[in-house]
Amino acid sequence: MIYYDINNKEVIIPDEILNNVINNGECGTVYRLSDNLCFKKYDRTFTTKNFRINKKIVDLLNSIDNDNIVEIIDILFSEKQDHHYTADAYIMKYYLEKYKNILELPTTYLLENVENILDLSRKCSDLNIRFGDLKAANTIYTKDKVVLLDPDLYDTPFYMSSKELIKINNSIISGFFNELILNSLNTNYQEFLTSNNLFAYSFSFKLFPITANANKTIKVLEKKLKGYDRPIDYVYSKKKTKKHQI
């Protein structure tokens, strides 16, 4: 496969990497390119430019000093061009996954990463970036970082101020972690499920109330998880307390 970089220099992607699929998404497929790199190709016929990353977002994200956002090495184009807007593919850093379940993360790990991602929110808001498509499938837990992948749907709404954006971004982040907790409870801990899932919902909101206030997000999480090694230990302790009260 032949692509061109931002300087219209030819970049050859070996065809054999098509056998090294890491993940399939609605907008494209991610392949293992090498020990340290991945390659994402937008290969869905319905994919419009609105679902593809562009040079502006990449340049802004790469200017931020934060390891919680995926590092994009290069954006690629299927043809030579003189505008360099939306990409047809891109090369990014490969991240080795260590954990699969947010509720099994060490408490110190989770607190540190939530705080750093909220700092990322502040920096993105200052640069007029709005988060998009934050979900479990676009997240990976390495040995020390929660890394946000696939920033394809991040945008720069020119009509919003940084003050407006940080409220929106912080709300997106708290909602994102709330959803991660809820999904984990519903997927991995069947003993907690009720007919209406009220138990799972109650704990997702206890740990991550949806709020635009970054300080509240951190303080609530610190308070709830104090004395517990992992979030799931907190959930188990409250379940036992509830049974005892009954």
Side-chain angles (χ1 to χ4, degrees):
M1 296 177 288
I2 298 177
Y3 289 91
Y4 300 90
D5 67 12
I6 202 70
N7 298 312
N8 282 328
K9 181 180 178 181
E10 188 175 282
V11 176
I12 298 177
I13 303 295
D15 290 338
E16 52 264 32
I17 75 153
L18 298 179
N19 298 320
N20 303 329
V21 176
I22 293 178
N23 188 30
N24 281 310
E26 293 183 1
C27 297
T29 304
V30 178
Y31 305 89
R32 185 76 177 268
L33 183 60
S34 68
D35 289 345
N36 302 314
L37 299 174
C38 296
F39 169 75
K40 178 167 183 177
K41 178 178 180 290
Y42 295 110
D43 55 4
R44 299 293 186 266
T45 56
F46 60 83
T47 300
T48 68
K49 291 183 178 180
N50 292 331
F51 299 120
R52 300 185 183 191
I53 202 160
N54 60 68
K55 182 180 183 296
K56 180 179 180 180
I57 290 291
V58 171
D59 287 345
L60 289 172
L61 291 177
N62 284 344
S63 73
I64 297 173
D65 182 19
N66 188 293
D67 293 332
N68 293 98
I69 188 72
V70 60
E71 181 182 349
I72 296 179
I73 309 300
D74 208 352
I75 58 174
L76 304 174
F77 307 90
S78 58
E79 298 177 354
K80 289 184 178 181
Q81 54 189 295
D82 57 6
H83 56 78
H84 304 310
Y85 296 142
T86 53
D88 295 302
Y90 60 86
I91 297 171
M92 59 185 164
K93 181 179 176 180
Y94 170 75
Y95 295 89
L96 181 63
E97 184 178 57
K98 179 175 182 179
Y99 303 100
K100 292 184 177 295
N101 181 354
I102 188 172
L103 288 171
E104 301 287 346
L105 295 177
T107 292
T108 53
Y109 177 112
L110 181 60
L111 286 169
E112 179 180 332
N113 277 278
V114 170
E115 190 168 4
N116 288 342
I117 289 174
L118 287 168
D119 183 60
L120 174 65
S121 170
R122 178 184 60 79
K123 292 176 178 177
C124 282
S125 301
D126 287 343
L127 293 173
N128 194 232
I129 299 172
R130 177 171 55 187
F131 291 119
D133 203 27
L134 293 190
K135 57 186 180 183
N138 293 341
T139 310
I140 193 166
Y141 308 122
T142 71
K143 66 176 183 178
D144 56 2
K145 292 288 185 296
V146 176
V147 181
L148 307 180
L149 307 172
D150 290 349
D152 305 62
L153 298 185
Y154 291 20
D155 65 348
T156 52
F158 67 90
Y159 50 87
M160 288 186 179
S161 68
S162 60
K163 289 183 179 180
E164 292 172 314
L165 268 177
I166 197 166
K167 292 179 180 179
I168 292 173
N169 282 335
N170 285 350
S171 296
I172 289 173
I173 288 168
S174 61
F176 161 66
F177 278 106
N178 179 295
E179 185 178 6
L180 290 179
I181 296 293
L182 180 62
N183 289 346
S184 179
L185 285 168
N186 289 336
T187 302
N188 303 306
Y189 306 96
Q190 296 296 315
E191 68 268 33
F192 292 149
L193 299 187
T194 58
S195 59
N196 54 14
N197 280 348
L198 284 179
F199 187 89
Y201 276 110
S202 69
F203 274 96
S204 65
F205 277 95
K206 283 179 180 178
L207 291 172
F208 284 100
I210 298 177
T211 174
N213 188 324
N215 288 332
K216 180 178 179 181
T217 297
I218 293 296
K219 287 181 178 179
V220 168
L221 193 61
E222 287 178 337
K223 181 179 179 180
K224 297 297 183 184
L225 296 185
K226 185 177 181 180
Y228 298 100
D229 292 333
R230 305 167 303 166
I232 191 60
D233 297 328
Y234 164 77
V235 177
Y236 276 125
S237 72
K238 296 305 176 184
K239 184 186 179 188
K240 291 177 181 177
T241 301
K242 185 175 181 180
K243 278 187 174 182
H244 181 72
Q245 289 175 344
I246 292 174

